[in-house]
Amino acid sequence: MDELDSTNLASRGSRLLAILIDALIGMLLAIPFWLLTGSWDYVKNGQQLPFSYTVMGVIYGFIGFALVHYYFLNKNGQTIGKTVLGIKIVALDNNLTGANHLLLKRYLPMSIVSAIPVAGSLLMLVDSLFIFRKNKRCVHDLIAGTKVVKK
């Protein structure tokens, strides 16, 4: 399948639902971090988290994401959400790339960007909006040389 051939690309809706499932799993993993570090107290009191807490959260979140999804990413190019929705991540030649490639090139750069105060949120928004292009590839797909297709 040519990169621009959209016949097998996952729908925007299925990608959105998959990321919402993965985000819910991530939030459940984050609760112990929030409670143990005192981050929840900052949020509860309407205070901004110190940058060091943000950095710790990104590291904890990335490691948690990797531990939860590694098997699925390595076996089928899927997170749990993508498994539920029947979609998967593949290289542009339609081959699986493996969990290490996906974690280091697709997920880690976006995790790092998300920690940048203010600009990180804007860059994450731009990343998400790229899905409205014809080839439905977000910035993280461009960085990793991947696309998301129906399984």
Side-chain angles (χ1 to χ4, degrees):
M1 177 174 95
D2 184 279
E3 174 194 353
L4 295 177
D5 178 9
S6 62
T7 56
N8 197 39
L9 292 176
S11 71
R12 292 175 182 98
S14 63
R15 288 185 71 174
L16 175 63
L17 289 174
I19 199 166
L20 290 175
I21 291 168
D22 294 337
L24 178 61
I25 293 167
M27 287 173 53
L28 292 173
L29 288 173
I31 290 171
F33 175 81
W34 295 337
L35 296 174
L36 293 172
T37 62
S39 298
W40 181 248
D41 294 330
Y42 281 95
V43 173
K44 187 172 58 175
N45 295 322
Q47 299 172 317
Q48 184 171 347
L49 283 172
F51 185 67
S52 61
Y53 281 57
T54 301
V55 171
M56 285 189 316
V58 167
I59 293 168
Y60 175 87
F62 180 77
I63 291 170
F65 179 89
L67 290 173
V68 168
H69 297 285
Y70 188 90
Y71 173 80
F72 301 99
L73 287 169
N74 206 48
K75 183 177 180 193
N76 297 316
Q78 298 173 296
T79 60
I80 293 171
K82 285 178 175 58
T83 301
V84 170
L85 274 287
I87 59 179
K88 65 181 178 177
I89 307 161
V90 295
L92 296 180
D93 63 4
N94 292 317
N95 290 314
L96 294 177
T97 63
N100 293 336
H101 173 88
L102 293 173
L103 289 169
L104 294 176
K105 291 197 173 181
R106 192 173 202 268
Y107 293 105
L108 183 60
M110 301 317 293
S111 293
I112 293 168
V113 164
S114 72
I116 302 170
V118 184
S121 297
L122 288 172
L123 292 170
M124 296 299 287
L125 175 61
V126 168
D127 173 53
S128 300
L129 292 174
F130 264 57
I131 199 165
F132 292 105
R133 298 176 336 133
K134 182 180 177 182
N135 66 10
K136 301 178 188 175
R137 293 178 67 213
C138 296
V139 173
H140 58 267
D141 291 307
L142 298 173
I143 292 169
T146 58
K147 60 186 175 182
V148 180
V149 297
K150 300 171 198 165
K151 186 165 183 194

